[in-house]
């Protein structure tokens, strides 16, 4: 691998790490590229006729999406980063500000996106899953000429496809088909993060995990949750953290009073768990607390 490619890969990793701290939310390559969603009649969004999911023939997706673990169970293998957000739960709470601007999804579907999951790979491919409410087809699309294993892909332009259901599947054709293969039991799901996720919650409204390949740890996971009306928690998991990382964590844990934070560090073999709690007045300090 060339030095330039190594630098690009490392930069991509650190972008993922940065997002793991502030959780601005992934909106996928399609949204960044400003993809078109016109249908055969070139309708504007105001003229799209709203109909139920039943208006789209073929099988519909029907899986549980309540955590990053649920998403990974139907994600093709070799994923290097994944993210989950329960947007509906976060609405109106301070944690909402960590999700970034998710309104682009509502505009994309013509419906409210209540849950979001995304996964990325080293080759820049990606897959996303979105639960929407109400469950309507209020967007423009082309019907793909061929179904895939009974599912009807809907072209959204620029090589991007939706598959109807709960959740909606969004991605390039190859990623969508690979995800359907996993859902149908014809391919293996992502296994890379099984060990570290044993120590993660299954109901945290914000979760992200990333494969670091021997940076400050082999793998890093972070979740955010609301303990009660005025208390918040950030939990981080480190798989095989470096000695320098451990030294930094223990140092910060020993002098948290001035920042209004409460640290708890637990070791589970090669997995280190760091819980940080703070009240609402110290939420910003918790959000900005370094991860390494």
């Amino acid at each position: 691998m060339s030095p330039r490619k190594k630098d690009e890969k490392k930069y991509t990793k650190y972008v993922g790490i940065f997002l793991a701290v502030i959780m601005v939310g992934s909106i996928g390559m399609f949204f960044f590229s400003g993809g078109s969603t016109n249908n055969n009649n070139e309708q504007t969004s105001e003229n799209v006729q709203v109909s139920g999911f039943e208006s789209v023939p073929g099988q519909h997706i029907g899986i549980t999406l309540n955590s990053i673990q649920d998403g990974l169970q139907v994600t093709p293998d070799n994923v290097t980063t994944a993210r989950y957000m329960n947007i509906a739960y976060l609405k109106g709470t301070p944690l909402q500000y960590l999700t970034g601007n998710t309104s682009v999804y509502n505009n994309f579907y013509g419906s409210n996106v209540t849950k979001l999951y995304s996964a990325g790979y080293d080759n820049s491919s990606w897959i996303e899953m979105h639960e929407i409410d109400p469950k309507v087809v209020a967007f423009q699309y082309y019907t793909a000429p061929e179904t895939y294993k009974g599912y009807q892909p809907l072209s959204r332009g620029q090589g991007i496809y939706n598959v109807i259901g709960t959740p909606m599947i969004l991605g390039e054709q190859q990623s969508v088909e690979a995800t359907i293969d996993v859902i149908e039991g014809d391919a293996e799901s992502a296994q890379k993060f099984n060990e570290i996720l044993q120590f993660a919650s299954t109901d945290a409204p914000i979760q992200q995990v990333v494969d670091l390949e021997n940076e400050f740890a082999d793998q890093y996971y972070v979740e955010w949750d609301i303990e009660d009306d005025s208390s918040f928690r950030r939990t981080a998991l480190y798989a095989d953290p470096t000695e320098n990382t451990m030294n930094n964590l223990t140092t910060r844990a020993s002098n948290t009073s001035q920042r209004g934070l409460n640290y708890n560090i637990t070791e589970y073999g090669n997995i280190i768990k760091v819980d940080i709690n703070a009240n609402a007045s110290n939420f910003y300090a918790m959000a900005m607390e370094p991860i390494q």
Side-chain angles (χ1 to χ4, degrees), residues 50-243:
V50 176
S51 56
F53 282 3
E54 69 280 358
S55 65
V56 177
Q59 294 194 67
H60 294 171
I61 303 297
I63 58 176
T64 300
L65 186 63
N66 292 327
S67 66
I68 198 170
Q69 292 91 331
D70 288 339
L72 287 168
Q73 285 182 5
V74 291
T75 297
D77 206 2
N78 300 315
V79 63
T80 55
T81 184
R83 179 183 296 111
Y84 168 83
M85 293 188 295
N86 187 330
I87 297 172
Y89 177 85
L90 297 168
K91 188 175 182 180
T93 75
L95 292 184
Q96 178 181 358
Y97 299 102
L98 301 178
T99 66
N101 179 16
T102 59
S103 63
V104 62
Y105 286 101
N106 300 339
N107 296 333
F108 183 71
Y109 286 110
S111 182
N112 297 316
V113 173
T114 59
K115 296 178 184 177
L116 181 154
Y117 169 85
S118 63
Y121 297 79
D122 272 341
N123 62 2
S124 298
S125 62
W126 54 275
I127 191 71
E128 295 200 3
M129 306 178 192
H130 313 124
E131 286 196 9
I132 66 174
D133 183 30
K135 300 181 187 301
V136 294
V137 181
F139 52 83
Q140 301 167 347
Y141 63 86
Y142 294 103
T143 300
E146 297 182 1
T147 60
Y148 185 75
K149 296 187 175 180
Y151 295 87
Q152 176 61 69
L154 305 179
S155 173
R156 305 300 302 275
Q158 299 192 11
I160 304 302
Y161 292 85
N162 260 136
V163 175
I164 293 292
T166 305
M168 308 285 280
I169 304 295
L170 179 73
E172 296 174 330
Q173 181 177 359
Q174 183 176 358
S175 297
V176 168
E177 292 180 355
T179 302
I180 291 174
D181 289 342
V182 177
I183 292 173
E184 291 297 305
D186 298 327
E188 291 292 326
S189 62
Q191 306 294 317
K192 184 187 294 287
F193 301 114
N194 285 0
E195 181 181 16
I196 196 171
L197 290 178
Q198 292 181 65
F199 307 97
S201 298
T202 56
D203 58 0
I206 300 179
Q207 299 175 281
Q208 182 169 353
V209 66
V210 59
D211 181 40
L212 300 175
E213 293 187 358
N214 301 309
E215 295 295 339
F216 63 83
D218 284 351
Q219 295 177 353
Y220 173 74
Y221 165 90
V222 65
E223 68 183 38
W224 297 76
D225 206 351
I226 303 171
E227 297 287 88
D228 53 48
D229 291 340
S230 59
S231 179
F232 303 89
R233 174 178 57 82
R234 187 184 99 182
T235 294
L237 297 171
Y238 303 79
D240 294 311
T242 64
E243 182 178 353

